[in-house]
Structure formats: structure tokens, C-alpha cells
Amino acid sequence: MANRSNRNEAESETQVASTARTSPAAETEQRETPLPWAQLSALLAVRLAEPVNLNLCTPFLYEMVKSFDIVKQPEDVPFYAGLLLTSYSFCQTMVAMYWGVLSDRIGRRPTLLIGLAGDLVTFVLFGLSKSFTWALVTRSLNGMFTGNSGVAKTVLVEIADDTNRPRMMALLPLLWNVGVIAGAALGGLLANPVTQYPNIFGSWEIFRVYPYLLPCLVGSFTTATGLLIGLFKLKETLVVQPPPSAEETQSATATESTPLIAGSNVRPPQKQSIMSLLTPMRKRVLLTNVVMWLALAMYTTMYPMFAASPTRDGGLGFSTRGIGISLAITSIVVPYIQLVVYPAMVRKYTTLKCCQTGLKVLIPVFFAIPFLSVLAAHIERILSESQFATLPVPNTWLSHAGLEYGALWALLLTLLLMRMLGDVMAFTSINLIVSNVAPSAATLGTINGIQQMATSWMRIIGPIGAGALWTWSVKHKLFYPFNSHLVWMILALLSTVAWRLSLTLPESVNIYQPGQAARAASDRSDDESESDQ
């Protein structure tokens, strides 16, 4: 019996792997199913709310904390501002997995609606902050309610099919990038509107008393829209097979082993424990994702510091405007890469191959970026020797270091575009893979919740680690690679580790296993019905 069971398992794995190898070719022959926008709207609102809430307060956080009574001297402001920033990610991390478990028990729809309602209320309450305690509590609660973005990802996977799943999953990183940019822009443009726009808001007493309420109100508009759409359009996607009724049990043919009391041997569906879900293969998938997110969190913090640092410290010496221009230019191509390039790539190749390719692209990019500081330092030397060095920087660079200036920007934008391509391919693919390896639809929310919790920890650790390493390397000025290249070398190393881990994953991760399990259960039910007849 044991040999037969092992043989059946081996045959099953072989069939799954065979399907994975042939799926890309099969997908190209299928016509893509139109996206269900009525369902998608609420899900996208959940996904967009997270980066907006995370970044909206960063432009005005310093001034906000400085206005609280808790600050005794200006040197204390960064500490308390850091607590507010960390509280959001920390609370989100602590509850992310439980949102997934809750969605497996009460359903996806009520879980998402609870999260959206809580997010809306706590975000507005944060805008009413007049003390540090109030700001800390509301910011923490807001992080808790946005921890259900993993549930939105679960629903997105469940409403997709094999033809449109790559395009739908590509929307997630697209919205993240849009939310990061839009959140920071709203916070900077709308904070303290009475002072910034006295002709429009000068007579609004509420914004004079609560100077940071307006950006929170505008930022919560997406959440409110998603809540309204969810109430009327969002449908439940969790399907739980009920246990057989007593009548169905009694109608079965009685045998010597049939119990005298009908239904006494009927067992409800067993819930798998979290540890039983974490098989060696799923652990490798989640570990790959965690390493990738650590690198992303470190890069997100590292690039602005690197670009703004003077060239003597290994940076580029850019102004805030220069940093914004570099990020804005590269962000323009994100929708095209995610909505056009990636779906075409995943149809031609496999999801796993796209993930591995994206990681391989990131390795040389991280290795090469810090060398741009050498060119930036050369440009500064040219300018220092010029009698026109006091002119505005763009004019001076163009007039006296035109070739070098153009080369610096061409190389920088090329590397940033390559990084964006690698990010889209790697992270969109790993999101698909995490959902693919869930054993059934009933555990999909839990798997995504575990992923959300693990990656949220990386969003806490990554920025702290990147800032500390950069400060240490700049202060000590050791030999290469322990100088200003250290953080970039670690980013390249983390990408290499993630790539090596992805090579250990089987081809079966390209197949949506919950869908396979559902089809297998349906086939068994059909076979049983035919045998009864």
C-alpha cells in the first residue's frame, strides 16, 4: 500500500510538472478573458490604499511632530518621527497573517469590507492629530487595517483564470508605484493648506486647527470609493464544500460498517494548521520572496540617500529636484512594462523563468550603480575649475560638462530602467507563485497572509539596515567594497541569493494549485455520480 501511495504521488507530481512545461504554449492558444472590472475596483482600492497611507505623511511628518508638546528640542524630532513611521509597518506586520486566516473562516468579502472601513476611519482620525499619543495610536490602527492587502491579492487570484491572471497580477506592483508617488505628492501639496493656499483655504477654520486633515481626506477618497464599490459589486469568492447532510448519508447503501446512528461518521472539513501548510517547497517560495523584499526595502531607502549625498561620500550630489526627475522619468514606463511587456513574457515563457530572469537583471544593476559617483565627482571637478561655477547647476553642467553630464544621466536612467524591468518581472512573478503553491482555495488567504506578514517585517528591517550601513560605510571610509559600495554590494548579494533560491523551485509552481485541486474534486464527484447511476 505504501509503495502504491508513493507511486501515485510521484505520478501526480510528474503530471503537474508536465502541465507546467506545456502551459505557456497552451496559454498562447487561448484568448484572454476580459478583466472583471466590477470586482477588480474594490480590490485595487485596497492595494492602492496601502502605499498612499504609507507615504502620504512623510513630507509633513517632521513639521507635524515638531508641533507636538512631546518634543523638547529639535534634535528629538527625527526619533519621534521614526516611531510614527515604524508603528504603521510594525502593526501591519503583526496582523497580516490573521487577516488571511480570518478571510478563510468568514469569507473574503466581509474581511475586505472591514479592512476598508477601518482604514477610512483611522486615516481621517490621523489627520485630526493634535498630540503625539493620538497620532501614534491612529497611525498604528491604520497599519492594522491595511494589513489585509494579502486578502485582496487572494481574491484577485481567485477571480482570475489562466489567461488573464498574469495581467491582473501585474496591476498590483503598478498600483504600488502609483500609490507611493501619489501619496508623497498629496502630502506635500495639501499639508497646511491655509498657509500654502490662503486665497482658497484662508477662511476654513477646520484646516487652521487641523493643518494635516486635508491630505488625509483626499488620500482616503480611494478607500471610500473602494468601500462603496465593495458594498454593491464585490462578490464572495471563497467556496467551502459543506459536509454531507444526514439525508445524503442515510440514502447511501448500508453495509456492515455503516453506523447505526446516521451521520455519526461524518467529519467536517479539516482546517490545516499553519505549520502543516509550510512544506519544504512552500518555505523555499516564501524565503525567496522575503529575500527579494528585503532588497527592495533597502533600495527604496538607499537610492534617495545615495543620489543626495555629496560625491566625496560616494553619492551623486543631486538636488531634490534632480532625484524627483530621475524617479519620474523611470516611473513613466512602469504601466507599459507591467501591462504589456510582462503578460507577453509570461505567456511566452513560464512564471518561474520570468522571476529568475528579473532577479538576474537586478544583480549587475545594483553592482554598477555606485560607480556613477566617479563620473559625478569628475563633473564636479570640471565645474570647480570653471569661473562660472556659481551659475545654476543645470546651466553650468550643460555649458561646461555637457558630454559628461549627458553620459551620467544616460547611464543612470538606463540602470534605473533596467532595475524597474527586473523588479516588475521578479515581483509580479513571485506574487503569482505564492498563490500558485497554496494547496487549496480554502488555504489561499492564509498563505498570502503569511507572505504579507513576512514581507512587512522586511519593510521594517530594510530601511533601518540600509541607513545604518550607509552611515557606517561613509564615516569609516574603508577600502572597497566596504566603502560607499557596501550597501549596493549587499543588494547585489541578496538578489543573487534570491535567484539561487528560485532555481531550487520545481516547475509545478507555474500551475495554480487551488484550481487544480478544485478541478480534481469536481472530477471525482462526477465519477462518483456516474458510478452511483
mmCIF file of all heavy atoms in Angstrom, residues 298 302 306 313-314 366-367 369-371 465-494:
data_model
loop_
_atom_site.group_PDB
_atom_site.id
_atom_site.type_symbol
_atom_site.label_atom_id
_atom_site.label_comp_id
_atom_site.label_asym_id
_atom_site.label_seq_id
_atom_site.Cartn_x
_atom_site.Cartn_y
_atom_site.Cartn_z
ATOM 1 N N MET A 298 15.504 47.905 1.157
ATOM 2 C CA MET A 298 16.787 48.586 1.312
ATOM 3 C C MET A 298 17.034 49.552 0.150
ATOM 4 O O MET A 298 17.500 50.671 0.348
ATOM 5 C CB MET A 298 17.916 47.557 1.397
ATOM 6 C CG MET A 298 17.895 46.716 2.661
ATOM 7 S SD MET A 298 19.240 45.507 2.735
ATOM 8 C CE MET A 298 20.653 46.608 2.947
ATOM 9 N N MET A 302 17.702 53.459 0.044
ATOM 10 C CA MET A 302 19.085 53.730 -0.315
ATOM 11 C C MET A 302 19.219 54.717 -1.474
ATOM 12 O O MET A 302 20.077 55.612 -1.440
ATOM 13 C CB MET A 302 19.788 52.409 -0.671
ATOM 14 C CG MET A 302 21.267 52.530 -0.935
ATOM 15 S SD MET A 302 22.120 53.140 0.510
ATOM 16 C CE MET A 302 23.477 53.987 -0.265
ATOM 17 N N PHE A 306 21.694 57.935 -1.582
ATOM 18 C CA PHE A 306 22.843 57.874 -2.478
ATOM 19 C C PHE A 306 22.839 59.056 -3.444
ATOM 20 O O PHE A 306 23.867 59.710 -3.664
ATOM 21 C CB PHE A 306 22.818 56.553 -3.236
ATOM 22 C CG PHE A 306 23.687 56.508 -4.458
ATOM 23 C CD1 PHE A 306 25.062 56.399 -4.355
ATOM 24 C CD2 PHE A 306 23.121 56.572 -5.729
ATOM 25 C CE1 PHE A 306 25.867 56.354 -5.484
ATOM 26 C CE2 PHE A 306 23.911 56.524 -6.862
ATOM 27 C CZ PHE A 306 25.295 56.419 -6.739
ATOM 28 N N ASP A 313 31.343 61.502 -0.482
ATOM 29 C CA ASP A 313 30.845 60.383 0.318
ATOM 30 C C ASP A 313 30.356 59.234 -0.548
ATOM 31 O O ASP A 313 29.705 58.306 -0.045
ATOM 32 C CB ASP A 313 29.704 60.857 1.230
ATOM 33 C CG ASP A 313 30.186 61.804 2.310
ATOM 34 O OD1 ASP A 313 31.365 61.717 2.687
ATOM 35 O OD2 ASP A 313 29.379 62.635 2.774
ATOM 36 N N GLY A 314 30.630 59.294 -1.840
ATOM 37 C CA GLY A 314 30.210 58.226 -2.736
ATOM 38 C C GLY A 314 28.836 58.384 -3.315
ATOM 39 O O GLY A 314 28.261 57.412 -3.847
ATOM 40 N N PHE A 366 22.566 46.600 -9.424
ATOM 41 C CA PHE A 366 22.997 47.019 -8.087
ATOM 42 C C PHE A 366 24.519 47.121 -8.000
ATOM 43 O O PHE A 366 25.047 47.989 -7.298
ATOM 44 C CB PHE A 366 22.485 46.032 -7.040
ATOM 45 C CG PHE A 366 20.994 46.086 -6.834
ATOM 46 C CD1 PHE A 366 20.259 44.932 -6.600
ATOM 47 C CD2 PHE A 366 20.312 47.294 -6.876
ATOM 48 C CE1 PHE A 366 18.888 44.976 -6.406
ATOM 49 C CE2 PHE A 366 18.949 47.357 -6.692
ATOM 50 C CZ PHE A 366 18.230 46.188 -6.453
ATOM 51 N N PHE A 367 25.200 46.260 -8.699
ATOM 52 C CA PHE A 367 26.666 46.304 -8.682
ATOM 53 C C PHE A 367 27.192 47.569 -9.366
ATOM 54 O O PHE A 367 28.196 48.151 -8.937
ATOM 55 C CB PHE A 367 27.214 45.063 -9.379
ATOM 56 C CG PHE A 367 28.712 45.018 -9.447
ATOM 57 C CD1 PHE A 367 29.471 44.613 -8.358
ATOM 58 C CD2 PHE A 367 29.382 45.378 -10.611
ATOM 59 C CE1 PHE A 367 30.863 44.577 -8.422
ATOM 60 C CE2 PHE A 367 30.760 45.354 -10.686
ATOM 61 C CZ PHE A 367 31.499 44.944 -9.585
ATOM 62 N N ILE A 369 25.515 50.657 -10.069
ATOM 63 C CA ILE A 369 25.019 51.989 -9.688
ATOM 64 C C ILE A 369 26.048 52.813 -8.918
ATOM 65 O O ILE A 369 26.249 54.003 -9.231
ATOM 66 C CB ILE A 369 23.694 51.869 -8.907
ATOM 67 C CG1 ILE A 369 22.543 51.552 -9.878
ATOM 68 C CG2 ILE A 369 23.379 53.156 -8.154
ATOM 69 C CD1 ILE A 369 21.189 51.383 -9.208
ATOM 70 N N PRO A 370 26.732 52.291 -7.886
ATOM 71 C CA PRO A 370 27.634 53.160 -7.118
ATOM 72 C C PRO A 370 28.809 53.702 -7.915
ATOM 73 O O PRO A 370 29.401 54.714 -7.526
ATOM 74 C CB PRO A 370 28.101 52.250 -5.973
ATOM 75 C CG PRO A 370 27.906 50.866 -6.466
ATOM 76 C CD PRO A 370 26.687 50.929 -7.323
ATOM 77 N N PHE A 371 29.170 53.067 -9.033
ATOM 78 C CA PHE A 371 30.285 53.563 -9.838
ATOM 79 C C PHE A 371 29.940 54.874 -10.536
ATOM 80 O O PHE A 371 30.843 55.571 -11.025
ATOM 81 C CB PHE A 371 30.702 52.513 -10.868
ATOM 82 C CG PHE A 371 31.432 51.343 -10.263
ATOM 83 C CD1 PHE A 371 30.771 50.161 -9.986
ATOM 84 C CD2 PHE A 371 32.785 51.429 -9.970
ATOM 85 C CE1 PHE A 371 31.438 49.082 -9.424
ATOM 86 C CE2 PHE A 371 33.473 50.356 -9.415
ATOM 87 C CZ PHE A 371 32.794 49.177 -9.132
ATOM 88 N N GLY A 465 18.341 48.922 8.225
ATOM 89 C CA GLY A 465 19.626 48.338 7.860
ATOM 90 C C GLY A 465 20.369 49.138 6.811
ATOM 91 O O GLY A 465 21.581 49.358 6.919
ATOM 92 N N ALA A 466 19.643 49.598 5.797
ATOM 93 C CA ALA A 466 20.291 50.369 4.731
ATOM 94 C C ALA A 466 20.853 51.681 5.271
ATOM 95 O O ALA A 466 21.987 52.065 4.943
ATOM 96 C CB ALA A 466 19.286 50.644 3.607
ATOM 97 N N GLY A 467 20.069 52.378 6.095
ATOM 98 C CA GLY A 467 20.549 53.645 6.645
ATOM 99 C C GLY A 467 21.755 53.475 7.545
ATOM 100 O O GLY A 467 22.723 54.248 7.468
ATOM 101 N N ALA A 468 21.723 52.436 8.380
ATOM 102 C CA ALA A 468 22.840 52.205 9.295
ATOM 103 C C ALA A 468 24.109 51.814 8.535
ATOM 104 O O ALA A 468 25.214 52.308 8.844
ATOM 105 C CB ALA A 468 22.462 51.114 10.296
ATOM 106 N N LEU A 469 23.982 50.947 7.551
ATOM 107 C CA LEU A 469 25.151 50.515 6.784
ATOM 108 C C LEU A 469 25.749 51.668 5.976
ATOM 109 O O LEU A 469 26.973 51.808 5.874
ATOM 110 C CB LEU A 469 24.771 49.359 5.858
ATOM 111 C CG LEU A 469 24.547 48.000 6.533
ATOM 112 C CD1 LEU A 469 23.933 47.019 5.548
ATOM 113 C CD2 LEU A 469 25.860 47.456 7.086
ATOM 114 N N TRP A 470 24.882 52.493 5.374
ATOM 115 C CA TRP A 470 25.368 53.622 4.592
ATOM 116 C C TRP A 470 26.119 54.615 5.479
ATOM 117 O O TRP A 470 27.208 55.085 5.128
ATOM 118 C CB TRP A 470 24.206 54.301 3.884
ATOM 119 C CG TRP A 470 24.565 55.548 3.139
ATOM 120 C CD1 TRP A 470 24.311 56.834 3.507
ATOM 121 C CD2 TRP A 470 25.257 55.630 1.883
ATOM 122 N NE1 TRP A 470 24.777 57.712 2.571
ATOM 123 C CE2 TRP A 470 25.369 56.998 1.555
ATOM 124 C CE3 TRP A 470 25.778 54.691 1.009
ATOM 125 C CZ2 TRP A 470 25.988 57.447 0.399
ATOM 126 C CZ3 TRP A 470 26.385 55.138 -0.153
ATOM 127 C CH2 TRP A 470 26.500 56.486 -0.459
ATOM 128 N N THR A 471 25.531 54.917 6.642
ATOM 129 C CA THR A 471 26.190 55.845 7.569
ATOM 130 C C THR A 471 27.535 55.293 8.034
ATOM 131 O O THR A 471 28.539 56.021 8.079
ATOM 132 C CB THR A 471 25.280 56.102 8.790
ATOM 133 O OG1 THR A 471 24.028 56.632 8.337
ATOM 134 C CG2 THR A 471 25.925 57.091 9.748
ATOM 135 N N TRP A 472 27.578 54.022 8.366
ATOM 136 C CA TRP A 472 28.817 53.408 8.840
ATOM 137 C C TRP A 472 29.894 53.425 7.759
ATOM 138 O O TRP A 472 31.048 53.768 8.016
ATOM 139 C CB TRP A 472 28.539 51.977 9.287
ATOM 140 C CG TRP A 472 29.752 51.256 9.805
ATOM 141 C CD1 TRP A 472 30.238 51.265 11.081
ATOM 142 C CD2 TRP A 472 30.638 50.431 9.040
ATOM 143 N NE1 TRP A 472 31.370 50.495 11.168
ATOM 144 C CE2 TRP A 472 31.643 49.971 9.933
ATOM 145 C CE3 TRP A 472 30.690 50.034 7.711
ATOM 146 C CZ2 TRP A 472 32.674 49.136 9.516
ATOM 147 C CZ3 TRP A 472 31.718 49.207 7.295
ATOM 148 C CH2 TRP A 472 32.696 48.765 8.183
ATOM 149 N N SER A 473 29.513 53.057 6.533
ATOM 150 C CA SER A 473 30.500 52.982 5.453
ATOM 151 C C SER A 473 31.035 54.367 5.083
ATOM 152 O O SER A 473 32.218 54.526 4.765
ATOM 153 C CB SER A 473 29.891 52.307 4.219
ATOM 154 O OG SER A 473 28.792 53.062 3.719
ATOM 155 N N VAL A 474 30.184 55.375 5.129
ATOM 156 C CA VAL A 474 30.621 56.731 4.793
ATOM 157 C C VAL A 474 31.533 57.287 5.877
ATOM 158 O O VAL A 474 32.525 57.971 5.594
ATOM 159 C CB VAL A 474 29.391 57.647 4.580
ATOM 160 C CG1 VAL A 474 29.815 59.103 4.506
ATOM 161 C CG2 VAL A 474 28.650 57.255 3.310
ATOM 162 N N LYS A 475 31.220 57.005 7.141
ATOM 163 C CA LYS A 475 32.022 57.523 8.248
ATOM 164 C C LYS A 475 33.424 56.907 8.275
ATOM 165 O O LYS A 475 34.413 57.587 8.517
ATOM 166 C CB LYS A 475 31.317 57.259 9.580
ATOM 167 C CG LYS A 475 30.197 58.239 9.900
ATOM 168 C CD LYS A 475 29.632 57.961 11.286
ATOM 169 C CE LYS A 475 28.572 58.988 11.659
ATOM 170 N NZ LYS A 475 28.006 58.717 13.016
ATOM 171 N N HIS A 476 33.517 55.600 8.042
ATOM 172 C CA HIS A 476 34.795 54.910 8.210
ATOM 173 C C HIS A 476 35.670 54.948 6.967
ATOM 174 O O HIS A 476 36.891 54.793 7.073
ATOM 175 C CB HIS A 476 34.548 53.456 8.639
ATOM 176 C CG HIS A 476 33.999 53.323 10.026
ATOM 177 N ND1 HIS A 476 32.661 53.527 10.323
ATOM 178 C CD2 HIS A 476 34.605 53.037 11.208
ATOM 179 C CE1 HIS A 476 32.478 53.338 11.625
ATOM 180 N NE2 HIS A 476 33.625 53.039 12.182
ATOM 181 N N LYS A 477 35.047 55.104 5.776
ATOM 182 C CA LYS A 477 35.809 55.237 4.528
ATOM 183 C C LYS A 477 36.880 54.148 4.402
ATOM 184 O O LYS A 477 38.071 54.424 4.226
ATOM 185 C CB LYS A 477 36.455 56.621 4.437
ATOM 186 C CG LYS A 477 35.429 57.752 4.388
ATOM 187 C CD LYS A 477 36.086 59.088 4.133
ATOM 188 C CE LYS A 477 35.066 60.209 4.134
ATOM 189 N NZ LYS A 477 34.036 60.072 3.081
ATOM 190 N N LEU A 478 36.436 52.913 4.482
ATOM 191 C CA LEU A 478 37.351 51.782 4.351
ATOM 192 C C LEU A 478 37.586 51.473 2.881
ATOM 193 O O LEU A 478 37.070 52.131 1.980
ATOM 194 C CB LEU A 478 36.771 50.566 5.076
ATOM 195 C CG LEU A 478 36.544 50.731 6.592
ATOM 196 C CD1 LEU A 478 35.914 49.484 7.171
ATOM 197 C CD2 LEU A 478 37.846 51.057 7.299
ATOM 198 N N PHE A 479 38.372 50.436 2.629
ATOM 199 C CA PHE A 479 38.698 50.033 1.266
ATOM 200 C C PHE A 479 37.492 49.337 0.620
ATOM 201 O O PHE A 479 36.588 48.858 1.292
ATOM 202 C CB PHE A 479 39.922 49.100 1.274
ATOM 203 C CG PHE A 479 39.751 47.913 2.181
ATOM 204 C CD1 PHE A 479 39.168 46.729 1.738
ATOM 205 C CD2 PHE A 479 40.175 47.975 3.511
ATOM 206 C CE1 PHE A 479 39.004 45.652 2.571
ATOM 207 C CE2 PHE A 479 40.012 46.894 4.361
ATOM 208 C CZ PHE A 479 39.430 45.734 3.897
ATOM 209 N N TYR A 480 37.511 49.278 -0.714
ATOM 210 C CA TYR A 480 36.457 48.609 -1.481
ATOM 211 C C TYR A 480 36.444 47.120 -1.134
ATOM 212 O O TYR A 480 37.505 46.512 -1.024
ATOM 213 C CB TYR A 480 36.727 48.794 -2.976
ATOM 214 C CG TYR A 480 35.746 48.091 -3.887
ATOM 215 C CD1 TYR A 480 34.569 48.713 -4.249
ATOM 216 C CD2 TYR A 480 36.005 46.803 -4.361
ATOM 217 C CE1 TYR A 480 33.668 48.079 -5.097
ATOM 218 C CE2 TYR A 480 35.109 46.165 -5.196
ATOM 219 C CZ TYR A 480 33.939 46.812 -5.559
ATOM 220 O OH TYR A 480 33.048 46.185 -6.374
ATOM 221 N N PRO A 481 35.290 46.503 -0.916
ATOM 222 C CA PRO A 481 33.924 47.002 -1.108
ATOM 223 C C PRO A 481 33.270 47.488 0.176
ATOM 224 O O PRO A 481 32.038 47.546 0.241
ATOM 225 C CB PRO A 481 33.213 45.765 -1.638
ATOM 226 C CG PRO A 481 33.841 44.639 -0.880
ATOM 227 C CD PRO A 481 35.285 45.033 -0.701
ATOM 228 N N PHE A 482 34.066 47.787 1.213
ATOM 229 C CA PHE A 482 33.496 48.225 2.487
ATOM 230 C C PHE A 482 33.365 49.744 2.569
ATOM 231 O O PHE A 482 33.127 50.284 3.636
ATOM 232 C CB PHE A 482 34.355 47.700 3.639
ATOM 233 C CG PHE A 482 34.430 46.203 3.687
ATOM 234 C CD1 PHE A 482 35.554 45.530 3.222
ATOM 235 C CD2 PHE A 482 33.371 45.459 4.163
ATOM 236 C CE1 PHE A 482 35.626 44.151 3.249
ATOM 237 C CE2 PHE A 482 33.431 44.077 4.196
ATOM 238 C CZ PHE A 482 34.551 43.411 3.737
ATOM 239 N N ASN A 483 33.519 50.408 1.437
ATOM 240 C CA ASN A 483 33.324 51.855 1.393
ATOM 241 C C ASN A 483 31.867 52.146 1.022
ATOM 242 O O ASN A 483 30.967 51.400 1.403
ATOM 243 C CB ASN A 483 34.307 52.485 0.405
ATOM 244 C CG ASN A 483 34.243 51.835 -0.961
ATOM 245 O OD1 ASN A 483 33.430 50.943 -1.197
ATOM 246 N ND2 ASN A 483 35.090 52.270 -1.863
ATOM 247 N N SER A 484 31.623 53.184 0.272
ATOM 248 C CA SER A 484 30.248 53.542 -0.100
ATOM 249 C C SER A 484 29.581 52.501 -0.995
ATOM 250 O O SER A 484 28.373 52.577 -1.224
ATOM 251 C CB SER A 484 30.238 54.903 -0.806
ATOM 252 O OG SER A 484 31.064 54.868 -1.969
ATOM 253 N N HIS A 485 30.331 51.532 -1.482
ATOM 254 C CA HIS A 485 29.757 50.465 -2.301
ATOM 255 C C HIS A 485 29.127 49.356 -1.457
ATOM 256 O O HIS A 485 28.486 48.457 -2.004
ATOM 257 C CB HIS A 485 30.844 49.840 -3.189
ATOM 258 C CG HIS A 485 31.324 50.731 -4.287
ATOM 259 N ND1 HIS A 485 31.181 50.423 -5.622
ATOM 260 C CD2 HIS A 485 31.943 51.931 -4.263
ATOM 261 C CE1 HIS A 485 31.712 51.386 -6.361
ATOM 262 N NE2 HIS A 485 32.180 52.310 -5.551
ATOM 263 N N LEU A 486 29.305 49.397 -0.134
ATOM 264 C CA LEU A 486 28.930 48.260 0.709
ATOM 265 C C LEU A 486 27.451 47.906 0.580
ATOM 266 O O LEU A 486 27.106 46.740 0.360
ATOM 267 C CB LEU A 486 29.278 48.577 2.170
ATOM 268 C CG LEU A 486 28.882 47.496 3.192
ATOM 269 C CD1 LEU A 486 29.606 46.196 2.894
ATOM 270 C CD2 LEU A 486 29.160 47.975 4.613
ATOM 271 N N VAL A 487 26.566 48.891 0.731
ATOM 272 C CA VAL A 487 25.133 48.605 0.681
ATOM 273 C C VAL A 487 24.739 48.058 -0.682
ATOM 274 O O VAL A 487 23.947 47.113 -0.787
ATOM 275 C CB VAL A 487 24.319 49.867 1.012
ATOM 276 C CG1 VAL A 487 22.828 49.559 1.004
ATOM 277 C CG2 VAL A 487 24.722 50.413 2.373
ATOM 278 N N TRP A 488 25.316 48.627 -1.739
ATOM 279 C CA TRP A 488 24.988 48.162 -3.092
ATOM 280 C C TRP A 488 25.480 46.727 -3.314
ATOM 281 O O TRP A 488 24.809 45.939 -3.993
ATOM 282 C CB TRP A 488 25.579 49.101 -4.128
ATOM 283 C CG TRP A 488 25.020 50.480 -4.045
ATOM 284 C CD1 TRP A 488 25.616 51.589 -3.529
ATOM 285 C CD2 TRP A 488 23.712 50.894 -4.476
ATOM 286 N NE1 TRP A 488 24.773 52.670 -3.610
ATOM 287 C CE2 TRP A 488 23.603 52.278 -4.190
ATOM 288 C CE3 TRP A 488 22.639 50.240 -5.072
ATOM 289 C CZ2 TRP A 488 22.451 52.996 -4.481
ATOM 290 C CZ3 TRP A 488 21.489 50.967 -5.363
ATOM 291 C CH2 TRP A 488 21.407 52.323 -5.078
ATOM 292 N N MET A 489 26.624 46.398 -2.747
ATOM 293 C CA MET A 489 27.117 45.027 -2.851
ATOM 294 C C MET A 489 26.193 44.051 -2.109
ATOM 295 O O MET A 489 25.946 42.938 -2.561
ATOM 296 C CB MET A 489 28.533 44.931 -2.291
ATOM 297 C CG MET A 489 29.580 45.709 -3.080
ATOM 298 S SD MET A 489 29.797 45.068 -4.767
ATOM 299 C CE MET A 489 30.591 43.503 -4.422
ATOM 300 N N ILE A 490 25.669 44.494 -0.976
ATOM 301 C CA ILE A 490 24.725 43.655 -0.233
ATOM 302 C C ILE A 490 23.437 43.469 -1.023
ATOM 303 O O ILE A 490 22.857 42.377 -1.049
ATOM 304 C CB ILE A 490 24.448 44.276 1.151
ATOM 305 C CG1 ILE A 490 25.706 44.194 2.019
ATOM 306 C CG2 ILE A 490 23.283 43.578 1.841
ATOM 307 C CD1 ILE A 490 25.567 44.865 3.360
ATOM 308 N N LEU A 491 22.968 44.536 -1.694
ATOM 309 C CA LEU A 491 21.781 44.406 -2.550
ATOM 310 C C LEU A 491 22.021 43.408 -3.677
ATOM 311 O O LEU A 491 21.141 42.584 -3.989
ATOM 312 C CB LEU A 491 21.404 45.775 -3.121
ATOM 313 C CG LEU A 491 20.816 46.790 -2.133
ATOM 314 C CD1 LEU A 491 20.635 48.138 -2.813
ATOM 315 C CD2 LEU A 491 19.492 46.290 -1.590
ATOM 316 N N ALA A 492 23.194 43.475 -4.302
ATOM 317 C CA ALA A 492 23.525 42.510 -5.355
ATOM 318 C C ALA A 492 23.594 41.101 -4.781
ATOM 319 O O ALA A 492 23.141 40.129 -5.415
ATOM 320 C CB ALA A 492 24.848 42.888 -6.016
ATOM 321 N N LEU A 493 24.144 40.964 -3.571
ATOM 322 C CA LEU A 493 24.243 39.654 -2.931
ATOM 323 C C LEU A 493 22.864 39.091 -2.608
ATOM 324 O O LEU A 493 22.598 37.905 -2.835
ATOM 325 C CB LEU A 493 25.088 39.766 -1.659
ATOM 326 C CG LEU A 493 25.243 38.475 -0.835
ATOM 327 C CD1 LEU A 493 25.956 37.405 -1.652
ATOM 328 C CD2 LEU A 493 25.999 38.760 0.454
ATOM 329 N N LEU A 494 21.979 39.930 -2.076
ATOM 330 C CA LEU A 494 20.624 39.469 -1.771
ATOM 331 C C LEU A 494 19.896 39.026 -3.036
ATOM 332 O O LEU A 494 19.178 38.007 -3.027
ATOM 333 C CB LEU A 494 19.837 40.594 -1.082
ATOM 334 C CG LEU A 494 20.245 40.923 0.359
ATOM 335 C CD1 LEU A 494 19.511 42.170 0.840
ATOM 336 C CD2 LEU A 494 19.945 39.750 1.284
#
